[in-house]
């Protein structure tokens, strides 16, 4: 991870403003909670000290003792309840911000260039951000500011008690009392205290540093493990191939190797912590002994009551805690700024394809022409362009077919047209204006699409078709019938309310590949946009169903523009124009008859397939 050398105040400010905007109550509540947490231990320490002192006093009042004990129990009880309640309230606020962050991450993923969102590095960043939860990133700042405040309050109270401790003088004429009251003894005590705290801070710093380095190194095997678990165990459809190809051993082998690698990367940190911890326990016990001796001696020599031994030894422990907390929190805070930066950098990534302000007016919808002008496109990180020098035009009412071998760039062409990716060279124009200048959502609403890798969601059937929860039932039913799903719909007892897939419901209905495809086509029909794009929408259908769908589609897209991509040339020979793609270029274009007559690639593909249709 990239290190920033100096404190980035604007980043801190941005993060605070972000949190305050999302949840105005979050910081006040966190500070209140911190103040209570800091004060709470002192209730026990101070009141117990008072009880002990009074018990040791021959003139004690039982009634007063009883009242103090009651106060101690009451404050302990209500204080704890109040803090629990505050903690739960803070959890709720933090949870809401967490959900907002997850949403922002997802929305960004949908807004950024589609090709960019497929980049492994960006995907990993996206997954990492959603895994941070409360521990890292913007949301972790709440806990860190809370920790800082708590540390300040603890240190403040402890310092007041330290002053009180030194002002209490041992009484007596003897040398010991004089020694205890000597400024040198106080300096020695403070020096030891400072030394002990410094040692605690040092070892915690070192341990954290080791963990930080180890976590960074172990991040990769961890992500790989999560991916494997997700894809192999959670997605039941993958079970088919896993069973048939006996992939279990391979998966477990990979998991074993990854978890071995993970442990290997983490081991130095574990080892270091074990070693350091045994040292620091020994060290702090010795220091505690000295503190008890010094405080006890002052009590014996009458500087304060016996109960105050509890108070001042408690104070030393609290001061140590406070300073350690302060240092830990400052360190976490500094480390965490890296993660905050990762988060905002992710949100700030350009949405090159999603900019644009021009409206897609009704006139454009009524009468449009697209033009690709010398367009080239290379996927991020790819060695060779997937499309080069593409030029073509198509307009309303025109049916275009795109054919070509696998990997020739047909789908990429569609992605560029639909502004899922932006070309690096050339331009794509709608009525003479670069498509990127149009308002993104309005532009997208121009297209009804069925992609090759379309998604049907685990929602209800009707919701899937309408892509929203409230919809026109008749229109959805008609779309399903036109997509060839009418007969199957009749067999579904709950009709449009049928839950699809078993992921969320026992009664979920599983669809076959062909049925899913029909639902995707119905969704395309329902949207009823001016331009229709079908990227091999019928690959899973049998030839009879396919011919049927194409006929219906043709009727539906009568006045619209449409692009069909198909492997079966017979499905699209009725199109006005056929573009033949080869290695990212348009190798030929023309009508079916023209291309057959030309005797080029199309002719060869046609002849190769014709034997199946003969
Ligand atoms: P077709 O639809 O004609 O089968 P595509 O447009 O899907 O072809 O792919 C064209 C080329 O771009 C292929 O070589 C493919 O490997 C490559 N490609 C497709 N998607 C990506 C991607 N997300 N990242 C990198 N390369 C890709």
């Amino acid at each position: 991870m990239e290190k920033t050398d100096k404190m980035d105040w604007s980043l801190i400010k941005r993060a605070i403003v972000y949190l305050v905007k999302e949840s105005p109550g979050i910081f006040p509540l966190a500070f209140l909670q911190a103040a209570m947490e800091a004060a709470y231990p002192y209730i026990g320490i101070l009141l117990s000290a008072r009880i002990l002192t009074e018990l040791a006093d021959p003139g004690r009042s039982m009634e007063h003792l009883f009242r103090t004990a009651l106060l101690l129990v009451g404050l302990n009880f209500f204080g704890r309840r109040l803090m629990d309640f505050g903690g739960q309230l803070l959890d709720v606020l933090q949870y809401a911000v967490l959900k907002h962050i997850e949403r922002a991450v997802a929305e960004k993923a949908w807004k950024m260039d589609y090709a960019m969102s497929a980049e492994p590095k960006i995907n990993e960043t996206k997954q990492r951000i959603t895994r941070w939860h409360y521990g890292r990133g913007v949301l972790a700042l709440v806990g860190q500011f809370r920790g800082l405040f708590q540390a300040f309050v603890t240190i403040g109270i402890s310092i007041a008690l330290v002053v009180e401790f030194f002002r209490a003088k041992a009484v007596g004429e003897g040398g010991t009392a004089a020694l205890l009251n000597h400024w040198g003894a106080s300096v020695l005590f403070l020096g030891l205290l400072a030394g002990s705290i410094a040692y605690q801070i040092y070892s915690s710093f070192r341990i954290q540093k080791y963990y930080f380095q180890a976590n960074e190194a172990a991040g990769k095997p961890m992500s790989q493990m999560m991916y494997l678990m997700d894809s192999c165990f959670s997605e039941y459809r993958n079970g088919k191939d896993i069973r048939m190809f006996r992939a279990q051993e391979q998966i477990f082998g990979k998991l074993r190797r990854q978890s071995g690698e993970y442990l290997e990367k983490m081991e130095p940190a574990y080892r270091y912590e074990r070693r350091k911890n045994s040292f620091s326990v020994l060290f702090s016990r010795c220091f505690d002994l000295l503190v008890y001796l010094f405080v006890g001696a002052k009590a014996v020599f009458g500087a304060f009551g016996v109960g105050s031994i509890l108070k001042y030894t408690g104070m030393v422990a609290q001061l140590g805690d406070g300073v350690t907390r302060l240092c830990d929190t400052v360190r976490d805070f500094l480390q965490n700024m890296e993660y905050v930066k990762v988060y905002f950098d992710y949100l700030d990534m350009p949405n090159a394809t999603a900019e644009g302000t021009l409206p897609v007016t009704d006139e454009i919808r009524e009468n449009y022409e697209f033009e690709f002008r010398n367009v080239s496109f290379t996927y991020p990180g790819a060695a060779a362009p997937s499309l080069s020098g593409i030029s073509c035009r198509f307009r309303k009412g025109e049916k275009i077919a795109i054919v070509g071998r696998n990997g020739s760039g047909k789908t990429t062409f569609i992605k560029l047209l639909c502004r899922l990716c932006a070309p690096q060279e050339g331009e794509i124009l709608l009525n003479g204006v670069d498509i990127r200048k149009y308002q993104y959502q309005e532009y997208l609403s121009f297209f009804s699409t069925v992609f090759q890798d379309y998604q049907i969601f685990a929602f209800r059937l009707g919701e899937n078709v309408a892509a929203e929860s409230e919809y026109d039932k008749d229109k959805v039913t008609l779309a399903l019938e036109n997509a060839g799903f009418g007969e199957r719909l009749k067999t579904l007892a709950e009709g449009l309310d049928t839950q699809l897939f078993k992921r969320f419901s026992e009664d979920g209905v599983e669809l076959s590949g062909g049925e899913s495809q029909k639902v995707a086509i119905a969704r395309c029909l329902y949207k009823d946009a001016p331009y229709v794009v079908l990227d091999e929408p019928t690959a899973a259908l049998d030839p009879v169903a396919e011919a049927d769908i194409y006929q219906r589609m043709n009727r539906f897209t009568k006045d619209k523009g449409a692009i069909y991509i198909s492997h079966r040339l017979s499905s699209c020979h009725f199109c006005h124009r056929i573009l033949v793609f080869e290695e990212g270029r348009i190798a030929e274009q023309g009508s079916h008859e023209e291309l057959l007559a030309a005797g080029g690639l199309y002719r060869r593909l046609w002849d190769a397939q014709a034997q199946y249709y003969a």
Side-chain angles (χ1 to χ4, degrees):
M1 189 181 291
E2 200 183 305
K3 285 257 173 222
T4 39
D5 289 337
K6 54 184 182 350
M7 185 79 94
D8 188 345
W9 292 105
S10 61
L11 189 64
I12 299 173
K13 189 172 152 215
R14 182 174 175 190
I16 295 174
V17 170
Y18 183 92
L19 285 167
V20 170
K21 194 162 148 262
E22 282 320 312
S23 181
I26 210 162
F27 280 121
L29 188 61
F31 289 149
L32 188 69
Q33 181 76 1
M36 287 195 296
E37 293 276 0
Y40 186 73
Y42 291 101
I43 299 175
I45 293 174
L46 294 178
L47 289 179
S48 308
R50 200 192 283 179
I51 292 173
L52 218 70
T53 306
E54 191 152 355
L55 272 176
D57 183 357
R60 62 187 165 249
S61 139
M62 283 319 277
E63 192 200 328
H64 188 242
L65 262 175
F66 183 69
R67 256 192 281 132
T68 317
L70 212 61
L71 185 67
L72 174 62
V73 173
L75 280 179
N76 254 324
F77 179 77
F78 287 111
R80 191 73 266 167
R81 291 285 79 75
L82 199 64
M83 280 191 296
D84 286 349
F85 178 68
Q88 283 160 3
L89 210 59
L90 194 59
D91 281 349
V92 172
L93 295 188
Q94 294 200 90
Y95 185 73
V97 178
L98 179 69
K99 289 295 126 187
H100 175 88
I101 288 175
E102 284 171 0
R103 194 188 154 120
V105 170
E107 275 181 350
K108 178 70 200 182
W110 293 326
K111 254 193 184 164
M112 76 172 76
D113 293 10
Y114 181 73
M116 228 166 158
S117 73
E119 262 190 82
K121 208 162 160 233
I122 292 178
N123 250 321
E124 201 192 310
T125 305
K126 190 172 78 185
Q127 282 172 9
R128 273 177 57 198
I129 295 174
T130 43
R131 277 207 304 270
W132 291 342
H133 294 285
Y134 304 100
R136 283 173 189 172
V138 178
L139 200 46
L141 287 177
V142 177
Q144 284 157 3
F145 279 116
R146 178 183 142 163
L148 279 181
F149 193 69
Q150 184 174 341
F152 283 132
V153 177
T154 305
I155 293 170
I157 301 177
S158 291
I159 286 178
L161 288 176
V162 168
V163 172
E164 187 187 293
F165 173 70
F166 284 118
R167 283 170 64 177
K169 297 290 176 212
V171 282
E173 299 300 319
T176 318
L179 196 69
L180 288 173
N181 289 337
H182 193 271
W183 61 266
S186 305
V187 169
L188 186 68
F189 181 81
L190 280 178
L192 277 172
L193 187 61
S196 151
I197 292 173
Y199 178 73
Q200 274 183 50
I201 293 166
Y202 166 78
S203 52
S204 130
F205 241 96
R206 296 281 301 176
I207 290 172
Q208 285 304 323
K209 198 168 159 211
Y210 266 79
Y211 268 103
F212 186 72
Q213 286 166 350
N215 274 326
E216 286 294 304
K220 200 167 171 199
M222 183 47 121
S223 305
Q224 287 171 345
M225 269 194 288
M226 305 269 280
Y227 167 75
L228 256 188
M229 305 269 240
D230 258 11
S231 62
C232 297
F233 303 139
S234 319
E235 195 46 70
Y236 90 100
R237 286 194 189 88
N238 294 342
K240 293 196 296 292
D241 291 326
I242 293 173
R243 270 170 216 178
M244 299 313 292
F245 294 99
R246 300 179 53 79
Q248 296 94 318
E249 278 317 306
Q250 198 186 0
I251 293 169
F252 285 130
K254 273 189 192 298
L255 274 176
R256 259 197 306 276
R257 271 197 301 283
Q258 283 155 359
S259 71
E261 197 185 330
Y262 174 79
L263 286 177
E264 193 186 311
K265 302 276 187 223
M266 292 303 290
E267 178 56 25
Y270 295 148
R271 216 176 23 236
Y272 187 81
E273 186 178 13
R274 278 197 302 271
R275 221 178 39 226
K276 269 279 175 248
N277 273 350
S278 33
F279 260 126
S280 68
V281 167
L282 187 71
F283 184 83
S284 64
R285 287 299 88 87
C286 291
F287 177 73
D288 286 351
L289 187 69
L290 284 176
V291 171
Y292 274 93
L293 281 176
F294 188 58
V295 175
K298 272 186 101 163
V300 168
F301 281 87
F304 35 73
V306 62
S308 296
I309 296 180
L310 204 68
K311 183 161 86 177
Y312 296 126
T313 49
M315 153 207 90
V316 171
Q318 287 302 313
L319 184 61
D321 273 5
V323 177
T324 317
R325 183 188 297 277
L326 180 68
C327 294
D328 284 353
T329 316
V330 168
R331 184 208 51 228
D332 285 352
F333 177 80
L334 293 178
Q335 279 180 356
N336 187 52
M337 288 319 287
E338 307 280 337
Y339 294 97
V340 173
K341 187 168 179 320
V342 169
Y343 178 62
F344 284 125
D345 283 352
Y346 172 82
L347 290 189
D348 291 345
M349 266 188 312
N351 307 326
T353 42
E355 308 290 344
T357 49
L358 288 184
V360 180
T361 57
D362 286 343
E363 288 102 275
I364 299 177
R365 285 169 185 269
E366 283 305 313
N367 189 12
Y368 54 82
E369 183 183 59
F370 286 99
E371 181 181 358
F372 275 59
R373 219 181 257 174
N374 209 15
V375 167
S376 297
F377 177 77
T378 309
Y379 283 99
S386 293
L387 288 178
S388 347
I390 301 285
S391 293
C392 58
R393 286 164 184 256
F394 37 95
R395 55 177 190 278
K396 190 179 177 203
E398 231 185 338
K399 308 282 183 288
I400 306 288
I402 303 183
V403 301
R405 285 189 259 251
N406 283 333
S408 57
K410 305 182 294 293
T411 301
T412 307
F413 178 85
I414 299 301
K415 287 185 196 161
L416 290 180
L417 177 66
C418 295
R419 269 171 81 181
L420 295 172
C421 307
Q424 287 99 2
E425 274 173 46
E427 32 178 18
I428 308 169
L429 309 166
L430 168 58
N431 289 9
V433 177
D434 191 320
I435 55 172
R436 276 177 284 189
K437 298 208 168 123
Y438 290 103
Q439 207 275 331
Y440 192 52
Q441 290 305 329
E442 284 190 23
Y443 184 81
L444 293 189
S445 72
F446 206 82
F447 297 92
S448 275
T449 50
V450 181
F451 289 109
Q452 220 172 72
D453 52 354
Y454 63 89
Q455 285 294 319
I456 301 295
F457 303 101
F459 303 154
R460 295 181 192 285
L461 174 62
E463 291 172 340
N464 256 298
V465 174
E468 52 198 358
S469 304
E470 302 291 324
Y471 53 85
D472 179 340
K473 291 201 167 192
D474 293 339
K475 208 175 142 199
V476 169
T477 309
L478 185 67
L480 282 166
E481 281 166 4
N482 280 334
F485 197 82
E487 289 305 312
R488 181 75 171 97
L489 182 61
K490 285 184 196 143
T491 67
L492 299 172
E494 293 189 64
L496 299 181
D497 288 330
T498 304
Q499 172 69 44
L500 296 187
F501 308 121
K502 297 205 182 286
R503 180 169 277 253
F504 299 127
S505 157
E506 284 284 307
D507 312 325
V509 168
E510 291 292 330
L511 297 178
S512 74
E515 286 166 349
S516 297
Q517 222 160 32
K518 288 175 183 172
V519 174
I521 292 170
R523 184 166 61 192
C524 169
L525 295 176
Y526 181 89
K527 187 172 172 188
D528 196 15
Y531 204 86
V532 176
V533 177
L534 305 179
D535 185 355
E536 290 192 54
T538 51
L541 298 186
D542 57 78
V544 179
E546 177 181 283
D548 181 45
I549 293 275
Y550 269 83
Q551 267 178 16
R552 289 168 197 262
M553 266 293 172
N554 222 17
R555 244 182 290 139
F556 166 76
T557 58
K558 204 155 136 303
D559 314 319
K560 299 176 194 274
I563 292 188
Y564 302 111
I565 298 183
S566 178
H567 268 115
R568 293 184 190 141
L569 301 191
S570 62
S571 308
C572 38
H573 73 274
F574 62 85
C575 288
H576 296 112
R577 197 145 42 97
I578 299 169
L579 310 180
V580 186
F581 274 55
E582 178 71 350
E583 294 181 352
R585 296 178 181 278
I586 299 181
E588 299 169 27
Q589 58 176 308
S591 69
H592 172 67
E593 289 72 23
E594 285 165 0
L595 290 173
L596 280 188
L601 178 61
Y602 184 81
R603 171 96 233 181
R604 287 202 299 283
L605 291 171
W606 178 264
D607 288 345
Q609 291 188 2
Q611 52 181 310
Y612 300 114
Y613 306 126

